[in-house]
Amino acid sequence: MYDGDVLAGNWRRPGKGKIPKVPAERDLVVEDADSGFCGAVVACDKEAVTLEDRFGRRRLFPLAPAAFLLEGKPVTLVRPTTATPAGPRRSASGSIAVQGLRARVARESRIYVEGVHDAALVEKIWGHDLRVEGVVVEYLEGVDDLPAIVAEFGPEPGRRLGVLVDHLVPGSKESRIAAEITSPDVLVVGHPYIDIWQAVKPSVLRIPAWPDVPRGVPWKEGVIAALGWRMEPAEAWRRILGAVSTYTDLEPELLGRVEELIDFVTETP
């Protein structure tokens, strides 16, 4: 319940009243006065702020004067200043960022992912962590030849291999291939999604859900057509990757598996 009539007077005209300006800091919870949409700030630029409600839905709102309610009272949201945070700075993965980082000499251990999109997403979110640990990520262009690739790598204690596989679900081709790998110095894990695109939360892209693609239709092209995007897969991926900024933009089924692989390949024998 709000005290009094929050819409009374000249609250839409900041020059005629005392409407406070509030920095749109991340996690600040406000309500859009026009639509009633209530959510936490997840992003802000010089023209607009993105709010996420408790259901994970995101909406973009212009930074108009007196356009929001904070604890029931009208406020004008402004872009935060780039002040040095009081606490430790966090990397995109949520880990404590190492200041003045110089990349560690690469370990012999490696992480393999299926394709270039997988590698780009892992780099964007976990790149800092991987450089701290000296772990290199390479992509396979599919897992059909995984047993031969593992044999060529020659895993052994101190030279471990972690593999991230798309669509690793019971009964899939990928699960049958993964079952052929028995070395204790290799860890094969995966997520349930047909493609790494699906590991990005739909709300980040302001879509209700990833569409179902009929069997026999190329998955990426089918998704693009269903969403009404007039672009090629490479352009669509740039749009998807550009919307991702932190680990909170990804599904937990991917987050847990990547963290597991990093722990595995950096574990001291």
Side-chain angles (χ1 to χ4, degrees):
M1 296 296 292
Y2 302 134
D3 295 330
D5 183 358
V6 298
L7 302 181
N10 294 325
W11 71 282
R12 280 291 191 185
R13 301 174 62 190
K16 297 294 183 180
K18 295 181 179 180
I19 305 299
K21 293 183 178 181
V22 177
E25 301 285 358
R26 191 175 183 89
D27 296 328
L28 177 72
V29 177
V30 294
E31 178 182 342
D32 175 60
D34 283 338
S35 66
F37 186 91
C38 183
V41 173
V42 294
C44 184
D45 58 29
K46 63 182 180 180
E47 296 180 349
V49 63
T50 301
L51 303 182
E52 180 178 296
D53 71 7
R54 63 191 181 93
F55 301 107
R57 296 175 299 200
R58 295 189 177 192
R59 288 184 59 183
L60 188 70
F61 298 95
L63 292 175
F68 301 92
L69 302 178
L70 176 61
E71 297 180 351
K73 298 179 181 180
V75 296
T76 297
L77 292 186
V78 296
R79 189 179 186 182
T81 58
T82 55
T84 302
R89 190 171 67 87
R90 297 281 175 174
S91 71
S93 71
S95 65
I96 296 177
V98 178
Q99 303 299 318
L101 170 68
R102 294 184 63 183
R104 175 175 173 169
V105 174
R107 298 172 182 261
E108 289 191 67
S109 299
R110 292 286 188 272
I111 291 177
Y112 286 174
V113 297
E114 282 207 48
V116 64
H117 291 180
D118 307 66
L121 187 59
V122 169
E123 163 61 28
K124 185 163 189 178
I125 300 302
W126 289 275
H128 176 84
D129 307 57
L130 294 168
R131 284 184 283 278
V132 169
E133 298 291 351
V135 176
V136 174
V137 174
E138 302 179 12
Y139 64 91
L140 301 171
E141 297 185 349
V143 295
D144 289 353
D145 298 322
L146 184 59
I149 291 170
V150 170
E152 182 180 358
F153 179 82
E156 59 185 33
R159 180 180 168 82
R160 286 182 152 188
L161 180 60
V163 184
L164 180 68
V165 177
D166 297 342
H167 199 227
L168 191 62
V169 296
S172 67
K173 175 191 73 174
E174 291 81 3
S175 67
R176 292 192 293 272
I177 293 173
E180 298 180 37
I181 310 301
T182 59
S183 169
D185 297 304
V186 179
L187 176 64
V188 181
V189 299
H191 54 76
Y193 307 114
I194 296 173
D195 191 276
I196 196 69
W197 290 17
Q198 285 182 299
V200 177
K201 292 180 178 177
S203 59
V204 175
L205 298 165
R206 300 172 66 187
I207 60 176
W210 287 103
D212 292 326
V213 177
R215 186 178 297 273
V217 176
W219 191 84
K220 289 184 174 71
E221 287 78 1
V223 165
I224 292 170
L227 294 176
W229 292 355
R230 297 179 179 274
M231 56 185 71
E232 295 297 318
E235 186 180 357
W237 172 243
R238 287 193 293 271
R239 176 174 178 174
I240 294 165
L241 187 63
V244 173
S245 57
T246 75
Y247 72 99
T248 59
D249 295 328
L250 304 180
E251 299 288 0
E253 290 84 354
L254 174 67
L255 295 174
R257 302 295 74 75
V258 175
E259 297 286 351
E260 189 177 354
L261 289 177
I262 294 174
D263 289 344
F264 178 78
V265 300
T266 58
E267 184 178 279
T268 303

